[in-house]
Amino acid sequence: MTQKIRTRFAPSPTGFLHIGGARTALFNWLFTRRVEGTFVLRVEDTDQVRSTEESTRAILDAMTWLGLNWDEGPYFQAERVGIHREMVQKLIDEGKAYYCTCTPEELEAKRKKAMAEGRKPKYDGTCRERGLARSANSVVRFRSPEVGTTVLHDLIKGDIAFSNEELDDLIIERADGYPTYNFAVVVDDAQMGITHVIRGDDHVNNTPKQIQIYEALGYEVPLFGHVPMILGADKARLSKRHGATSVMAYQEMGLLPEALVNYLVRLGWSYGDQEIFSTEELIAKFSLEAVGKSAAVFNPDKLLWLNQHYIKTYPEERLIEAMLPFWVQRGFDVSDRPFVAKAVSDLKERAKTLVELADSGAFYFLDEIPYNPEAAAQFLTPEYKGHLEAVADRIPALDDYTKSGLEAFLRALAEERGTKLKWIAQAVRVALTGRTVSPGIDEVMVTLGKQRTVQRIRAAIARIGTAG
C-alpha cells in the first residue's frame, strides 16, 4: 500500500506572512492537493521572546485569504515542548547528546580564534567528553558524527553531500529548556508523519544536521525539496526596499488573492508558456520536477498585469464583495447594491488594483464633484455652456436612456449644434466626473441615472455662470 503523502507549512509567528513564505505554503498546498494528501499547518512559536499572537493571527488570515486551507492544525510547537524535552533526554541517555556550559563570551572567543587561524568557526567540542550534568546555564548539544558524509537527496536540487567534519555539535536545547529550531522541527515532522518537507533553500545548510538528528532518534528521514529564493529586480534577496513583502499588504493595495497565487506559483515554476491558471489547473499541473533550481526575480509590473486580468474576469458578485471595503473605507454609501454593481462594471476594464478602481470610481458616490482645475478650465467655460444646457434640458424627456440610446442622442445633438461629438462628450464628462478621463460617458450617464446626471450638469453650468 502506497504511503499517503503528508506535507506541512510551519511559519514562525514573529511577523507577517511574507511573499517567500506564502510561495512555500502554496507549493506545499498544490503538491499535496494534486496527490490528495494531507496538508498540515504548524506554528513554530518556541521563540518565546519574538512570537506573538498578533503575528499568528496575521499568518492564519493571510493563508485563509490566499485560499490555502489546511487539513490538520494549526498545531503550536510551544505546546509540544514536553515532548521535545523527552527526546532530548533520550539522546542524552544514549550518549548522542551532552550538556555544555561554555559561556557566550567563551564561544565568541573560540569563534574569533578559529577565524584568525583560518579554520571554520565551529564549536570545538570543549564539553563533548566532560560528562557534565544539567546546571542553571547549561545547554544541550547534539553529538554530531565527526567523520563520513551526510547526503541530502533533494527533490529539486539533486544530491548534495556534506562532510561531517564541517558540521557542528549544534545546540538542541537552550538554557531555558526550550528546543532549538533544528531539533524541534525534526521531532515534530517525524511525529506528525510528514513525508515531504518542501521549504526555502535558505534551509539547505540546516538539512544535514536535521538528517543526523532523524537518524539518531531512529526516525525515518522524509523527502526534502528546497525551493529557490525570490530576488528583487537588482538580484538582491527580496526585501522591503523592493516594495511590499507582506501578503496582507498586497490585499490592502487592492490585489485579488487569485492574482497573487497565480503570480507566486510562476516564481520558480512553469508549465510551458502558460501564464494564467485557474486553481483547478494549478492543482492538476503542479509538480516539484518543474520547479527551477535558480532564484526567481520578483516583477511588480507582471503582478499588476495579472491582477488587471483577474479584475476584468472576476465573477461579478465576488468583485463587488471585494470592492465594498475599499469604498466603505472612503466613507461612501454602498447600500444601493444595483448602483454599486453598475459602477464596478463600468470601472473594471481599466483598473490594475481595487484601490485604483475605488479611487477612479469615487465620483459615482460624491454629492459634490471636485473638478480637476485643468479639466474645468478647458471644458467648463462659456463656450461649452450651451452644449451642457441642451443636454440637461433634453435628458428628462429622453425615452431610450440606455448606452446605445445616449450615444445616438449625443451624436444627434452634436450634429444639430454644429460641433463634434467629442466636444460635447468631454464637457459632459467633466461635469459628471470632474475629470477628462473616465469610463465611457454613455456608461457613466446610465449608471448615474437621469436625476443625478441632470443635477451634476446643472451644477457645472452654475459653476460656469459663477466663474463668468
Side-chain angles (χ1 to χ4, degrees):
M1 182 177 173
T2 305
Q3 183 183 21
K4 185 172 182 179
I5 286 175
R6 289 173 62 85
T7 65
R8 51 70 164 178
F9 178 56
S12 296
T14 55
F16 299 108
L17 179 61
H18 290 164
I19 290 296
R23 187 190 59 168
T24 298
L26 174 60
F27 281 8
N28 274 280
W29 187 84
L30 290 171
F31 174 73
T32 312
R33 291 289 172 260
R34 183 177 183 185
V35 297
E36 298 183 355
T38 301
F39 179 52
V40 177
L41 179 61
R42 184 177 71 236
V43 179
E44 300 198 331
D45 57 346
T46 51
D47 185 336
Q48 295 296 289
V49 176
R50 298 172 62 220
S51 297
T52 67
E53 286 188 24
E54 180 187 10
S55 291
T56 299
R57 175 45 51 198
I59 290 168
L60 300 184
D61 286 347
M63 293 277 289
T64 301
W65 181 67
L66 290 171
L68 305 181
N69 59 312
W70 50 92
D71 304 307
E72 289 184 18
Y75 298 114
F76 291 88
Q77 197 171 62
E79 295 175 359
R80 297 174 49 80
V81 168
I83 296 170
H84 303 142
R85 287 173 182 159
E86 287 178 23
M87 294 300 103
V88 168
Q89 191 60 50
K90 170 180 163 68
L91 292 183
I92 291 172
D93 293 344
E94 294 175 359
K96 297 174 181 177
Y98 59 91
Y99 289 106
C100 171
T101 56
C102 294
T103 66
E105 294 75 21
E106 289 170 336
L107 293 172
E108 178 61 17
K110 293 175 190 290
R111 189 186 73 82
K112 287 181 177 177
K113 185 171 185 290
M115 292 185 72
E117 296 173 357
R119 294 183 288 111
K120 184 175 180 179
K122 56 179 281 190
Y123 181 63
D124 65 359
T126 297
C127 295
R128 188 178 174 105
E129 305 301 338
R130 292 174 65 188
L132 299 173
R134 181 188 298 276
S135 61
N137 295 311
S138 63
V139 300
V140 179
R141 288 185 181 272
F142 177 68
R143 192 185 295 271
S144 178
E146 293 181 285
V147 296
T149 59
T150 299
V151 180
L152 161 61
H153 302 290
D154 197 283
L155 295 168
I156 295 169
K157 294 180 173 295
D159 286 359
I160 306 173
F162 298 84
S163 171
N164 288 342
E165 33 180 81
E166 294 292 311
L167 302 178
D168 231 339
D169 280 6
L170 73 155
I171 295 171
I172 58 175
E173 185 178 282
R174 295 187 289 263
D176 61 5
Y178 278 88
T180 57
Y181 163 77
N182 278 307
F183 186 76
V185 75
V186 168
V187 173
D188 291 345
D189 282 346
Q191 294 195 2
M192 292 179 184
I194 302 304
T195 61
H196 292 69
V197 175
I198 303 164
R199 58 191 180 187
D201 65 3
D202 52 334
H203 286 288
V204 165
N205 289 333
N206 287 326
T207 307
K209 305 169 189 176
Q210 293 172 11
I211 290 173
Q212 291 180 356
I213 294 172
Y214 275 103
E215 292 172 343
L217 287 168
Y219 292 142
E220 183 176 348
V221 179
L223 296 173
F224 291 93
H226 290 90
V227 301
M229 69 174 65
I230 302 173
L231 305 178
D234 58 358
K235 304 300 171 66
R237 186 166 183 169
L238 192 68
S239 66
K240 288 180 180 178
R241 64 192 175 87
H242 297 109
T245 58
S246 161
V247 167
M248 296 312 275
Y250 284 96
Q251 182 195 36
E252 292 165 9
M253 288 162 57
L255 268 77
L256 293 170
E258 291 86 347
L260 189 54
V261 163
N262 197 150
Y263 182 71
L264 288 177
V265 80
R266 289 286 287 109
L267 282 176
W269 175 84
S270 61
Y271 187 85
D273 294 327
Q274 188 171 344
E275 292 286 352
I276 297 169
F277 299 84
S278 67
T279 302
E280 293 72 26
E281 284 179 304
L282 286 176
I283 291 171
K285 295 175 177 178
F286 183 81
S287 69
L288 291 177
E289 290 78 10
V291 174
K293 294 180 173 63
S294 56
V297 177
F298 191 87
N299 182 342
D301 292 335
K302 181 76 170 291
L303 176 55
L304 289 177
W305 172 80
L306 266 174
N307 200 56
Q308 185 170 28
H309 164 80
Y310 277 93
I311 288 175
K312 287 180 183 178
T313 59
Y314 222 50
E316 181 180 299
E317 275 304 310
R318 289 182 62 198
L319 184 57
I320 292 168
E321 286 300 323
M323 273 307 306
L324 288 177
F326 290 92
W327 275 327
V328 168
Q329 190 179 45
R330 286 158 176 74
F332 300 152
D333 178 3
V334 293
S335 58
D336 185 346
R337 288 297 286 268
F339 177 69
V340 171
K342 288 179 184 176
V344 169
S345 178
D346 291 349
L347 298 160
K348 68 180 184 180
E349 291 297 320
R350 295 170 177 81
K352 291 181 180 179
T353 69
L354 300 184
V355 168
E356 193 177 294
L357 195 155
D359 289 339
S360 67
F363 69 86
Y364 279 120
F365 301 93
L366 297 171
D367 292 328
E368 293 186 17
I369 301 301
Y371 303 106
N372 174 278
E374 291 181 5
Q378 186 174 1
F379 292 104
L380 299 189
T381 64
E383 179 186 354
Y384 291 94
K385 185 176 181 181
H387 299 329
L388 291 171
E389 286 175 336
V391 174
D393 288 344
R394 299 188 191 187
I395 280 179
L398 197 62
D399 291 329
D400 187 6
Y401 198 77
T402 63
K403 187 177 173 182
S404 59
L406 284 165
E407 184 181 351
F409 160 66
L410 292 174
R411 196 174 296 281
L413 185 64
E415 190 173 336
E416 175 190 318
R417 297 185 63 81
T419 188
K420 291 183 178 179
L421 171 61
K422 67 177 182 179
W423 301 127
I424 291 183
Q426 279 297 74
V428 172
R429 189 189 310 278
V430 174
L432 298 182
T433 71
R435 306 191 299 262
T436 55
V437 177
S438 76
I441 194 58
D442 42 13
E443 294 175 321
V444 172
M445 293 171 77
V446 169
T447 298
L448 286 173
K450 283 187 178 182
Q451 184 178 350
R452 271 182 286 209
T453 296
V454 171
Q455 284 175 345
R456 291 191 183 190
I457 294 175
R458 294 282 183 212
I461 292 168
R463 185 185 187 280
I464 294 171
T466 304

